[in-house]
Amino acid sequence: MRKKIVAGNWKMNMDYSTGIALAEGIRDYFKNKVPVCEVIICSPFIHLASLQNILKGSIIKYGAQNCHQEESGAYTGEISAGMIKSTGAEYVIIGHSERRTYFGEDDSLLNRKTKTALARGLKVIFCCGEVLAEREKEIHFEVVKRQLTDGLFNLTEEQMKNIVIAYEPVWAIGTGLTASPAQAQEMHRFIRENLEAGYGRKIAEETTILYGGSCKASNAAELFSMPDVDGGLIGGASLKKDEFCAIAEAVH
Ligand code: PGA
């Protein structure tokens, strides 16, 4: 059976000490009750090295929100996949819509980043999703298919085993508008069908597909009850310990 995951994406929030306190709070919450899903914290880079100690012996995993496409070199201000891995992090988010929109990251760049991250031993949470105008024009399936085909689907089967896909309709991110469970299921099913067409049934069945976009404790259970929704990528609600932990507990 495929892994269920709830991952928090802190984005550019939390300073050093508030981030550490939040990670400790989540760790302590799950000390004696093990959730059904894997719980991941994707923090700003500044927390990663400290999370290694804080989360030692805990079931909570952690990761970054971006990495550079090159292995190393003269790229002032950038962080490499190898550096992330050296902190003990297991995951990196690639292709978040905010990276696509504000930093001009396109499918081919995201494909390079994904391959570099995988080569350095990280697992990749690869994001896709349409903007509102694309859904209104009813080209959302086409858009997601293009993002996956150009960004992801030239990986090998072996590489694909270290990919988690996150479907995040951009119109639902940070807006309070959530995709309905039926809308999420429809797209997740579509993604899984495309996985099957490219990689066969086993990989399609084993790939975790997360929903992201205004997911919170009050709507998580319903979204996660959909057969192809394997958990969530959580933005705003991951900044509050109780809310985030409740979302993780909504996975059954
Ligand atoms: P949100 O963000 O939960 O704040 O909508 C989700 C995301 O961008 O990953």
Side-chain angles (χ1 to χ4, degrees):
M1 257 321 272
R2 56 185 171 260
K3 198 189 282 181
K4 307 241 175 166
I5 294 175
V6 166
N9 172 12
W10 290 1
K11 309 192 180 183
M12 198 174 74
N13 295 297
M14 298 296 182
D15 61 18
Y16 183 70
S17 57
T18 55
I20 293 306
L22 177 57
E24 287 171 343
I26 296 166
R27 173 200 65 193
D28 292 346
Y29 185 93
F30 286 116
K31 207 165 237 166
N32 296 315
K33 42 181 169 183
V34 178
V36 175
C37 61
E38 184 163 287
V39 178
I40 306 170
I41 293 171
C42 292
S43 74
F45 293 125
I46 60 157
H47 298 104
L48 292 178
S50 302
L51 290 180
Q52 183 157 32
N53 284 327
I54 288 165
L55 300 178
K56 194 174 279 163
S58 150
I59 51 126
I60 315 286
K61 314 278 191 202
Y62 59 102
Q65 302 165 17
N66 177 37
C67 70
H68 198 267
Q69 63 275 18
E70 299 294 342
E71 296 271 348
S72 64
Y75 301 100
T76 300
E78 291 296 314
I79 306 272
S80 74
M83 291 172 188
I84 294 166
K85 179 72 181 174
S86 73
T87 69
E90 260 185 55
Y91 286 92
V92 61
I93 299 173
I94 302 277
H96 191 280
S97 71
E98 287 148 18
R99 300 293 319 172
R100 294 176 188 264
T101 306
Y102 304 135
F103 302 94
E105 298 192 358
D106 62 14
D107 297 326
S108 91
L109 176 69
L110 298 171
N111 188 246
R112 289 174 62 201
K113 288 189 177 210
T114 299
K115 287 178 174 164
T116 305
L118 291 171
R120 302 309 299 197
L122 291 167
K123 295 180 186 136
V124 170
I125 301 174
F126 188 90
C127 303
C128 59
E130 80 286 357
V131 301
L132 184 59
E134 292 164 339
R135 181 161 280 263
E136 284 172 348
K137 276 195 266 163
E138 296 181 2
I139 55 167
H140 44 296
F141 290 113
E142 216 173 289
V143 168
V144 168
K145 186 171 182 163
R146 190 214 69 226
Q147 290 171 338
L148 293 175
T149 303
D150 296 351
L152 209 56
F153 285 173
N154 62 0
L155 301 184
T156 65
E157 273 182 39
E158 218 35 51
Q159 288 173 315
M160 212 57 179
K161 291 179 185 158
N162 289 313
I163 299 289
V164 171
I165 295 174
Y167 169 58
E168 300 202 298
V170 181
W171 46 271
I173 296 178
T175 57
L177 286 175
T178 313
S180 68
Q183 284 173 322
Q185 169 57 25
E186 188 184 33
M187 185 60 87
H188 284 226
R189 185 72 233 154
F190 175 77
I191 293 170
R192 209 176 297 288
E193 281 165 6
N194 278 277
L195 272 168
E196 184 168 349
Y199 291 93
R201 193 169 177 82
K202 186 162 159 33
I203 298 242
E205 285 303 324
E206 284 175 0
T207 302
T208 300
I209 307 177
L210 307 179
Y211 168 79
S214 299
C215 185
K216 38 189 185 277
S218 59
N219 60 25
E222 208 190 349
L223 285 160
F224 298 167
S225 71
M226 295 291 114
D228 288 291
V229 178
D230 308 315
L233 180 55
I234 318 299
S238 74
L239 301 173
K240 293 173 232 137
K241 184 201 78 180
D242 290 338
E243 182 80 9
F244 181 65
C245 294
I247 294 171
E249 289 187 313
V251 176
H252 286 107

